[in-house]
Amino acid sequence: MSGEAVSGGTTPKSAAAVEVTHVHGERIVVRAAATGVELFSYVYRPAPVAFEARKPYVHPLRTLTGRLVSGYRPSDHRWHKGLQMTASHLSGQNFWGGHSYVHGKGYLGLHELIGSMRHDGFDAIDVCADELSFTERLTWVENGGAQCARERRAVRVHAVDPETGSYAVDWSIRLTSVREDGEALRFGSPTTAGREMAGYTGLQWRGPRDFTGGRVFGPGAGGELMGTQGPWLAFTGEHDDVDGHSTLMFAHAPGNADAIHASHWFVRAEPIPTVAFSWAFFEEFALDAGESFAYRYRIVVADGAWDREQVATRLKGLAW
């Protein structure tokens, strides 16, 4: 039933924090119950622009006060869509979208290399007074129609906290290689293909244009975070139109340190605002046919310009 609204309901202790609407066959939307602000929209049937690598994404992503903290189809990279799971170099295919990097030739518009992710269905969509969670089945399809991977994705929107002005989005992935030719899937990036410090791949956030030049910091006192490793980093930007800042926090689940391949941060404030949990920044890794890997991530969305201590305290207070 299109446009079915599911309220979080109430409990004896507190009013509902979120309201959820499922526009069947298109998207799942989470709103703040108290204000009606659309916080999170998960689009699982995207517009059919093949060159942008069709796949589910989150946009708009907003703070509790309604400030937009995601960018959608910016003029510099039309294939950037809010928050999305991607793979820039996967056994010769490009699931990131847009131009493909070829060593010695640069970026080329190789349409025949652009893959897509097919939404196959939801195993569960659960809503309670203060959170949404769902599990989704997807198939990664190469250009030409061959299936190369099946994914089980879990997303959770929770921990809505008006006192701190923040809430959390958890995103987990379990990916299984199903290549029909029996060959291993090889995960890489432009850096593994020869371009320095361009290790983008994995779960990626694109910020709005007014976040360009924002402040990026991690748990230590160091400066440049591009290509480094760490449990979390934060990105603070100042908005146009309104007098205020917002902060996004990106965190690894503890088990990611033991995953199939160690991740590094791909992060830029200039010339564009973006962060990715890059699972193949400097080195390729392979996934044999029938084998799987899994990662879990957390993004905390907050009003205001948070400092290092505030970020660390909030992340520590959120149990996995």
Side-chain angles (χ1 to χ4, degrees), residues 98-144:
H99 296 83
S100 301
Y101 180 78
V102 178
H103 189 53
K105 298 182 179 180
Y107 284 96
L108 305 176
L110 302 175
H111 291 250
E112 67 275 15
L113 300 185
I114 306 294
S116 63
M117 298 179 195
R118 185 184 71 216
H119 167 83
D120 293 332
F122 291 106
D123 289 331
I125 303 176
D126 297 313
V127 183
C128 66
D130 57 2
E131 70 173 66
L132 158 77
S133 61
F134 62 82
T135 55
E136 180 186 18
R137 287 172 284 108
L138 303 103
T139 300
W140 294 37
V141 183
E142 297 180 0
N143 191 292

Side-chain angles (χ1 to χ4, degrees), residues 2-115:
S2 180
E4 179 181 356
V6 185
S7 172
T10 60
T11 69
K13 293 183 179 180
S14 62
V18 299
E19 295 175 344
V20 177
T21 302
H22 185 188
V23 182
H24 289 272
E26 182 181 335
R27 69 184 63 212
I28 298 175
V29 179
V30 180
R31 291 181 173 84
T35 62
V37 168
E38 182 180 325
L39 303 174
F40 169 101
S41 183
Y42 184 81
V43 180
Y44 59 90
R45 287 281 168 81
V49 182
F51 189 62
E52 296 174 13
R54 293 190 295 267
K55 53 189 171 295
Y57 61 86
V58 175
H59 177 82
L61 186 67
R62 292 190 177 95
T63 70
L64 292 182
T65 60
R67 294 170 180 171
L68 183 66
V69 292
S70 60
Y72 177 75
R73 298 194 73 242
S75 59
D76 50 78
H77 297 79
R78 294 297 188 195
W79 45 95
H80 287 186
K81 296 182 172 71
L83 182 65
Q84 57 183 357
M85 179 61 69
T86 75
S88 57
H89 288 236
L90 178 56
S91 293
Q93 293 281 297
N94 174 1
F95 289 84
W96 178 275
H99 296 83
S100 301
Y101 180 78
V102 178
H103 189 53
K105 298 182 179 180
Y107 284 96
L108 305 176
L110 302 175
H111 291 250
E112 67 275 15
L113 300 185
I114 306 294

